[in-house]
């Protein structure tokens, strides 16, 4: 049987039971058993660059008999951070049927950090001790669920900040500086997206801080590609909400370089686009 809106997907079995509380579209997804011939399964290339990974067909139910592997590799001076934004996998004791297993390295012989199944309501975050994380997702012959969606970020070992992915769900960036310090984050959204920044907290403290706006004590936002300045915020007034249209990659630099000056920063970032991740 062919998917009613996408002929590239093929249904290999359909149950007659549907949940009356779901929409017609969700009923269709819930009752479908998908072919394992074409789902995206471990083939995203995220070497040193942030992005999203999902179980096959997310948010529809993942196929049976699935075996997916993702090797997430950063540079020697980077660490890999994974945040589970949505997670719903068949739950059994010891996660013996369907599971997502995360290893702290590049092979299954490395120490594993988590063996996950069931439903996780709050965001779950893990960080590598080295420059690699290995993810293994598997399903058995029956009973599938919507699966998972995860953000993959890369942070620096010897300096503040990192490379982060931004998508539909708001994610935080926070920094409380020490004296004469700076921090830099690169945000990457799907191509063609616009990035939305919402400053929750922005304060300056210390005897060295000047009320005049200087590049030494400020937050600056750049187009990552051509390094052109998009916005600069300084002093302790809360910046307005910022909608950066038609930019899919920006760099945020926070500086508190004057002597005895500290910065307390918290902002939320998200992306809006027809091309959602």
């Amino acid at each position: 049987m062919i998917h009613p809106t996408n002929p590239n997907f093929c249904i290999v079995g359909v149950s007659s039971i549907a949940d009356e509380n779901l929409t017609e579209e969700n009923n269709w997804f819930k009752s479908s058993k998908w072919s394992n011939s074409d789902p995206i399964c471990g083939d995203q290339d995220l070497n040193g660059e942030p992005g999203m990974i999902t179980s096959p067909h997310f948010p529809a139910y993942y196929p049976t008999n699935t075996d997916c592997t993702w090797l997430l590799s950063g540079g020697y001076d980077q660490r890999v951070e994974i945040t589970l934004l949505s997670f719903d996998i068949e739950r059994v004791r010891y996660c013996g049927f369907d599971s997502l297993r995360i290893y702290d390295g590049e092979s299954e012989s490395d120490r594993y950090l988590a063996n996950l199944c069931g439903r996780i309501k709050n965001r779950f975050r893990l960080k590598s001790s080295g420059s690699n994380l290995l993810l293994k997702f598997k399903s058995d012959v029956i009973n599938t669920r919507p699966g998972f969606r995860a953000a993959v970020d890369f942070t620096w070992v010897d300096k503040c900040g990192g490379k982060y992915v931004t998508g539909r769900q708001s994610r935080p960036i926070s920094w409380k500086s020490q004296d004469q310090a700076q921090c830099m984050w690169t945000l990457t959204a799907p191509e063609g997206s616009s990035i939305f920044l919402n400053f929750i907290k922005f304060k300056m403290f210390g005897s060295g801080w000047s009320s005049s706006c200087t590049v030494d004590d400020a937050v600056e936002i750049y187009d990552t590609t051509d390094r052109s300045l998009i916005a600069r915020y300084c002093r302790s007034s809360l910046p307005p909400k910022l909608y950066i249209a038609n930019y899919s990659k920006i760099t945020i630099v926070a500086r508190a370089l004057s002597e005895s000056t500290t910065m307390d920063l918290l902002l939320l970032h998200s992306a809006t686009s027809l091309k959602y991740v």
Side-chain angles (χ1 to χ4, degrees):
M1 180 178 179
I2 301 299
H3 188 300
T5 60
N6 189 339
N8 294 321
F9 290 144
C10 178
I11 311 168
V12 296
V14 177
S15 166
S16 61
I17 300 175
D19 189 335
E20 295 178 355
N21 295 323
L22 298 176
T23 64
E24 181 179 354
E25 180 181 15
N26 284 339
N27 278 338
W28 191 92
F29 280 135
K30 185 172 183 179
S31 64
S32 301
K33 299 295 183 181
W34 295 91
S35 166
N36 199 29
S37 61
D38 95 303
I40 296 174
C41 188
D43 65 349
Q44 293 98 323
D45 182 10
L46 298 179
N47 289 335
E49 292 297 326
M52 294 282 186
I53 59 175
T54 68
S55 55
H57 303 312
F58 180 89
Y61 281 33
Y62 53 81
T64 57
N65 295 316
T66 298
D67 190 355
C68 306
T69 301
W70 295 267
L71 178 59
L72 311 176
S73 299
Y76 73 94
D77 57 348
Q78 292 179 321
R79 296 294 178 263
V80 189
E81 186 172 284
I82 184 169
T83 304
L84 295 177
L85 304 174
S86 179
F87 192 89
D88 187 358
I89 290 176
E90 180 191 11
R91 180 180 178 180
V92 297
R93 192 176 185 182
Y94 304 123
C95 301
F97 294 163
D98 299 357
S99 68
L100 177 67
R101 182 167 282 209
I102 304 174
Y103 296 87
D104 189 19
E106 56 185 348
S107 73
E108 294 181 64
S109 62
D110 291 304
R111 179 175 66 99
Y112 79 87
L113 300 176
N115 189 28
L116 305 173
C117 62
R119 179 177 295 180
I120 298 176
K121 294 183 178 181
N122 298 321
R123 294 183 180 184
F124 182 84
R125 181 178 291 111
L126 285 173
K127 190 173 183 178
S128 66
S129 62
S131 58
N132 298 287
L133 276 182
L134 181 70
L135 276 63
K136 297 279 291 185
F137 171 66
K138 69 178 182 71
S139 64
D140 64 359
V141 296
I142 57 172
N143 297 333
T144 67
R145 300 290 298 168
F148 69 91
R149 182 166 70 102
V152 180
D153 305 312
F154 296 88
T155 60
W156 304 110
V157 174
D158 56 353
K159 56 185 176 182
C160 178
K163 298 179 179 181
Y164 294 82
V165 62
T166 185
R168 284 178 296 172
Q169 294 175 282
S170 293
R171 304 183 64 207
I173 284 177
S174 62
W175 184 53
K176 193 165 186 178
S177 74
Q178 302 299 320
D179 289 346
Q180 297 178 296
Q182 68 176 7
C183 199
M184 182 172 69
W185 305 267
T186 299
L187 305 183
T188 301
E191 186 177 354
S193 297
S194 299
I195 296 177
F196 179 70
L197 301 180
N198 183 10
F199 287 83
I200 307 301
K201 183 189 296 183
F202 179 52
K203 294 182 178 181
M204 294 274 196
F205 305 93
S207 58
W209 172 68
S210 170
S211 60
S212 61
C213 189
T214 69
V215 295
D216 287 343
D217 303 306
V219 171
E220 296 176 330
I221 301 167
Y222 294 89
D223 176 3
T224 304
T225 303
D226 63 14
R227 300 185 181 180
S228 60
L229 181 66
I230 298 171
R232 175 183 291 134
Y233 301 113
C234 47
R235 305 183 180 92
S236 274
S237 57
L238 190 68
K241 295 178 181 179
L242 183 62
Y243 180 78
I244 308 173
N246 301 319
Y247 284 87
S248 58
K249 198 167 187 178
I250 64 170
T251 298
I252 302 172
V253 181
R255 299 188 185 95
L257 297 178
S258 296
E259 188 176 357
S260 301
T261 297
T262 60
M263 180 186 296
D264 193 0
L265 172 68
L266 173 62
L267 66 86
L268 301 177
H269 61 92
S270 58
T272 60
S273 173
L274 294 177
K275 296 181 179 179
Y276 286 138
V277 291

